[in-house]
């Protein structure tokens, strides 16, 4: 059997499966999910069925399988897709709530001007800026930043150190004299 024939057979098997299970799965999802999510979850379910057509019990070589043979397994796939959609919806809701809380906690825009900071950040290379922002704004340690960026912890530490130095230089906050110390203090001239 050629590859083209195998694809045609697989497509025919899937079309027969879809013909049998689409309506029952749609009803199943209508009873369990918000109406605006049903079509997306059904589409995700059908995609999983397409990818795993060889795993569907009862979806043998016949073009139209018996509903009693395939529906229980397909309901299980739909249930998994529904769970994924609910988790994703929960994550989106938590993110929106967090963004709203963050926005409410911010001082009014007119009170502080950070344009010099943003201009200085824009002079940094993209990866340097990302590492610095993850450290300063998200409060991540170099080990955690390494997980985010895919770099090693050591590379992150070096990049972070250099980025902080560049940012300080851009902002003009690099003091040559250290407060509380006199030049030459603690050193012998001999």
């Amino acid at each position: 059997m050629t590859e083209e024939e195998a694809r045609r057979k697989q497509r025919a098997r899937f079309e027969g499966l879809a013909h049998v299970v689409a309506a029952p799965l749609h009803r199943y999802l209508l009873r369990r999910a918000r109406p605006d999510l049903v079509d997306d979850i059904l589409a995700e379910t059908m995609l999983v069925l397409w990818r795993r057509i060889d795993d569907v019990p009862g979806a043998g070589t016949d073009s139209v399988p018996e509903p009693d043979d395939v529906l229980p397994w397909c309901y299980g796939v739909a249930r998994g897709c529904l769970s994924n959609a609910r988790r994703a919806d929960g994550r989106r809701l938590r993110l929106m709530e967090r963004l709203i809380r963050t926005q409410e906690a911010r001082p009014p825009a007119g009170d502080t001007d950070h344009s010099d900071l943003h201009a200085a950040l824009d002079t940094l290379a993209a990866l340097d800026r990302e590492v610095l922002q993850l450290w300063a704004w998200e409060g991540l340690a170099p080990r955690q930043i390494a997980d985010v960026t895919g770099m090693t912890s050591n590379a992150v530490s070096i990049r972070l150190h250099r980025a902080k130095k560049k940012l300080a230089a851009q902002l003009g906050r690099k003091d040559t004299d250290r407060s509380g110390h006199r030049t030459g203090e603690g050193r012998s001239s001999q």
Side-chain angles (χ1 to χ4, degrees):
M1 180 180 339
T2 67
E3 190 175 320
E4 183 64 32
E5 289 173 344
R7 264 193 254 129
R8 258 187 271 135
K9 279 190 161 203
Q10 182 181 19
R11 183 181 177 121
R13 285 175 57 209
F14 177 74
E15 287 173 353
L17 178 67
H19 179 73
V20 169
V21 301
L25 289 177
H26 191 261
R27 286 191 304 269
Y28 171 85
L29 293 169
L30 275 173
R31 289 188 289 269
R32 288 163 176 80
R34 291 192 337 242
D36 60 322
L37 296 177
V38 169
D39 289 337
D40 290 337
I41 299 169
L42 181 60
E44 184 66 28
T45 303
M46 297 309 281
L47 179 62
V48 172
L49 293 177
W50 167 256
R51 289 180 182 155
R52 298 192 57 197
I53 190 70
D54 293 332
D55 298 336
V56 179
T61 57
D62 300 336
S63 41
V64 180
E66 284 295 315
D68 290 341
D69 295 339
V70 294
L71 268 175
W73 195 85
C74 295
Y75 283 141
V77 171
R79 184 173 179 261
C81 291
L82 179 61
S83 295
N84 289 341
R86 285 179 177 156
R87 281 191 298 273
D89 202 35
R91 283 190 302 269
R92 275 191 297 276
L93 180 61
R94 287 189 301 276
L95 175 63
M96 289 301 296
E97 289 170 351
R98 194 171 86 210
L99 289 173
I100 290 169
R101 281 193 312 269
T102 303
Q103 188 65 29
E104 290 171 352
R106 285 186 181 172
D111 289 354
T112 55
D113 179 27
H114 297 293
S115 58
D116 58 338
L117 173 63
H118 292 287
L121 282 170
D122 288 340
T123 64
L124 298 175
L127 189 54
D128 289 344
R129 184 174 47 249
E130 179 68 13
V131 166
L132 190 61
Q133 289 172 338
L134 287 169
W135 173 77
W137 293 351
E138 308 307 326
L140 297 181
R143 175 185 50 78
Q144 295 167 316
I145 296 170
D147 290 340
V148 173
T149 60
M151 299 178 352
T152 65
S153 297
N154 192 37
V156 168
S157 295
I158 292 169
R159 193 171 283 273
L160 180 61
H161 175 74
R162 290 178 182 165
K164 289 192 302 190
K165 281 179 66 173
K166 287 177 190 175
L167 187 65
Q170 285 292 327
L171 293 173
R173 294 188 180 159
K174 181 117 176 138
D175 296 309
T176 53
D177 68 301
R178 296 179 298 214
S179 50
H181 295 279
R182 283 184 238 132
T183 309
E185 181 180 350
R187 293 186 179 161
S188 103
S189 57
Q190 300 166 339

